[in-house]
Amino acid sequence: MDQLVLHEDPISGNCYKIQLTASLLGLPLVRRPYDIWKGETRTPEFLTNINPFGQIPVLQVGTDSFIPESGAACFFLADGDDQKGRLIPEDRLERTQMLRWMFFEQNQHETSVAVLRSWARFTGLGNLSEEQKGRLTALGRQGERALTCMEAHMQGREWFVGKKISLADVVLFAYTQIAHEGGFEMENYPALNQWIARVKGVEGFVKMDGVD
Amino acid sequence: MDQLVLHEDPISGNCYKIQLTASLLGLPLVRRPYDIWKGETRTPEFLTNINPFGQIPVLQVGTDSFIPESGAACFFLADGDDQKGRLIPEDRLERTQMLRWMFFEQNQHETSVAVLRSWARFTGLGNLSEEQKGRLTALGRQGERALTCMEAHMQGREWFVGKKISLADVVLFAYTQIAHEGGFEMENYPALNQWIARVKGVEGFVKMDGVD
């Protein structure tokens, strides 16, 4: 297989999703770190060679293929012929439900839970712009709706889809495990806490840098 | 095949994506309309029988399977054995790039372009909350970045991925064709305008209700 290089910032949960997917699948991954707060993904070299839109993560496959968007990169890794059925269900409806949670994550969960965590932990709540301050309440409500939706779904289930871990669990795990950093009261979500512990126990699990 | 029922609001581009996918694939689809502005997706019947989270679209397959999230529903329709290669590329890297644009659409495009269109056309800019007013500038910038990213990608291309239409084109088309309703100046994006005309010319194309 072509060499896999993850262009990433280790503080980003979106990047960690790809690292975790590779680890669960036993795929070697070269990690190439950038500091987004220092503008290292906006240099002419990065824009020319890696991603003209200046965003990470980007999964590089061999020398010529570059895959932005964490969900797409995770899908690529798990979509290999020798990985069939491991993290992407072989059943058509289960595969669809996996994608359903992956789109939910990018549309409703990451846009609230991850944003508030980034503001609280890295920007600092005291340094927010007026526009950001004006969004705190609505983003908190949106994140709570997303977590409540997940909690309800996980009543009586072990995994988001089917009977074993899939990419749905991987992508939702990344920012849910650190949602408390954004001010979410995680003791309100007991089924999610049990599921978080379950993910951490899977063979091949790897922690996100800086998270216990 | 089981009967397909689309629980939808005809003013929603997210719902239209599924209708367009079914039409391009020649799949019969029963459309079941709800008025979200009248709370018809929050009734006890809807929450119990269709989607406990009160959101549309939901694609119902037969009597027991319900698929929220437009991208997942489109994927389900195109993922049938008898549809192979028609809207989901058979090449692994192309399939990945298709998903890359589908995640981009849900994370960066729909969350700005569709939101501003909804506020301008349905809420009315004079009726926005203070929180919404505070977001207008940032959402406009986010939407312009998304459209600029698409325009750059489409220089010299006919379709977003590979040599023919895929679900990437379908999902990006839905809100891009009506981005002007949200105040975006579409004359700035000539490659996108050509691509919009190209999508409209595909066999099986169907218009969104109320859009020329």
Side-chain angles (χ1 to χ4, degrees):
Chain A
M1 190 173 176
D2 289 321
Q3 188 185 50
L4 300 166
V5 179
L6 177 59
H7 299 273
E8 64 159 355
D9 187 326
I11 67 168
S12 156
N14 283 323
C15 298
Y16 167 67
K17 292 168 193 171
I18 304 168
Q19 187 199 352
L20 177 55
T21 300
S23 182
L24 291 172
L25 295 171
L27 295 170
L29 189 68
V30 176
R31 297 173 66 188
R32 169 72 178 85
Y34 302 80
D35 187 330
I36 48 176
W37 296 92
K38 291 185 182 160
E40 291 179 0
T41 62
R42 306 275 170 176
T43 63
E45 291 75 16
F46 188 92
L47 298 174
T48 303
N49 298 324
I50 311 300
N51 185 355
F53 311 118
Q55 291 179 320
I56 50 166
V58 173
L59 178 66
Q60 180 181 349
V61 182
T63 51
D64 295 335
S65 295
F66 296 85
I67 306 167
E69 299 298 328
S70 56
C74 291
F75 194 95
F76 177 81
L77 294 177
D79 197 26
D81 285 337
D82 50 348
Q83 303 290 357
K84 283 228 179 306
R86 290 187 67 188
L87 291 177
I88 300 175
E90 297 202 88
D91 175 78
R92 178 179 171 194
L93 264 170
E94 287 192 0
R95 188 163 53 242
T96 299
Q97 294 294 357
M98 177 196 79
L99 284 169
R100 170 257 177 119
W101 287 109
M102 293 175 77
F103 284 115
F104 164 88
E105 196 270 341
Q106 282 293 290
N107 188 253
Q108 292 152 62
H109 184 280
E110 196 262 4
T111 51
S112 54
V113 175
V115 168
L116 286 181
R117 178 248 177 186
S118 175
W119 290 356
R121 174 143 179 198
F122 302 113
T123 310
L125 294 180
N127 301 320
L128 296 181
S129 69
E130 288 306 310
E131 187 252 339
Q132 289 171 324
K133 280 183 206 159
R135 294 187 65 197
L136 284 172
T137 304
L139 280 183
R141 278 201 307 266
Q142 182 187 327
E144 281 170 14
R145 267 201 308 275
L147 293 168
T148 301
C149 166
M150 292 165 64
E151 175 76 13
H153 179 75
M154 288 304 286
Q155 301 290 332
R157 291 177 203 262
E158 294 203 335
W159 305 104
F160 270 84
V161 178
K163 300 291 185 198
K164 59 180 184 162
I165 191 169
S166 75
L167 292 182
D169 302 286
V170 171
V171 303
L172 286 166
F173 175 81
Y175 284 113
T176 303
Q177 64 160 343
I178 48 177
H180 59 89
E181 294 183 7
F184 293 98
E185 296 178 6
M186 293 308 291
E187 61 271 25
N188 296 336
Y189 309 100
L192 293 186
N193 290 323
Q194 289 174 19
W195 163 78
I196 286 170
R198 201 171 293 128
V199 173
K200 289 180 176 175
V202 171
E203 187 182 340
F205 175 80
V206 62
K207 285 192 222 176
M208 183 167 160
D209 291 3
V211 175
D212 284 331
Chain B
M1 189 174 176
D2 289 323
Q3 188 184 52
L4 300 167
V5 179
L6 177 58
H7 300 274
E8 64 159 357
D9 187 326
I11 68 168
S12 157
N14 283 323
C15 299
Y16 166 66
K17 293 168 195 171
I18 304 168
Q19 186 199 352
L20 177 55
T21 300
S23 183
L24 291 173
L25 294 171
L27 295 170
L29 189 68
V30 177
R31 297 174 64 187
R32 168 74 178 83
Y34 302 80
D35 187 330
I36 48 176
W37 296 92
K38 290 184 182 161
E40 291 179 1
T41 62
R42 306 274 171 175
T43 64
E45 291 75 15
F46 187 92
L47 299 174
T48 302
N49 299 323
I50 311 300
N51 185 354
F53 311 117
Q55 291 178 320
I56 51 165
V58 173
L59 178 66
Q60 180 180 349
V61 182
T63 52
D64 295 335
S65 296
F66 297 85
I67 306 167
E69 300 297 327
S70 55
C74 291
F75 193 96
F76 177 81
L77 294 177
D79 196 27
D81 285 337
D82 50 348
Q83 303 289 357
K84 283 229 178 304
R86 290 188 66 189
L87 291 178
I88 299 176
E90 297 201 87
D91 175 78
R92 179 180 171 194
L93 264 170
E94 286 191 1
R95 188 163 55 242
T96 300
Q97 294 294 357
M98 177 196 80
L99 285 169
R100 170 257 177 118
W101 287 108
M102 293 175 77
F103 285 115
F104 164 88
E105 196 270 341
Q106 282 293 288
N107 188 253
Q108 292 153 60
H109 183 280
E110 196 260 3
T111 51
S112 53
V113 174
V115 168
L116 287 180
R117 178 249 178 184
S118 174
W119 289 357
R121 174 143 179 198
F122 302 112
T123 310
L125 293 180
N127 302 320
L128 296 182
S129 68
E130 287 307 310
E131 186 253 339
Q132 290 171 322
K133 281 183 204 157
R135 294 188 63 199
L136 284 173
T137 305
L139 281 182
R141 277 200 308 263
Q142 181 187 328
E144 282 170 13
R145 265 200 309 275
L147 294 168
T148 301
C149 165
M150 293 164 64
E151 175 75 15
H153 178 76
M154 288 305 286
Q155 300 291 332
R157 291 177 202 263
E158 293 203 335
W159 305 104
F160 269 84
V161 178
K163 300 290 186 196
K164 58 179 186 163
I165 190 169
S166 75
L167 291 182
D169 302 286
V170 170
V171 302
L172 285 167
F173 176 81
Y175 284 113
T176 304
Q177 63 159 341
I178 49 177
H180 59 90
E181 294 182 8
F184 293 98
E185 297 178 6
M186 294 307 292
E187 61 271 25
N188 297 335
Y189 308 100
L192 292 186
N193 290 323
Q194 290 174 18
W195 163 78
I196 286 170
R198 201 171 293 129
V199 173
K200 289 181 176 175
V202 171
E203 187 181 341
F205 175 81
V206 61
K207 285 192 226 177
M208 183 168 160
D209 291 3
V211 175
D212 282 335

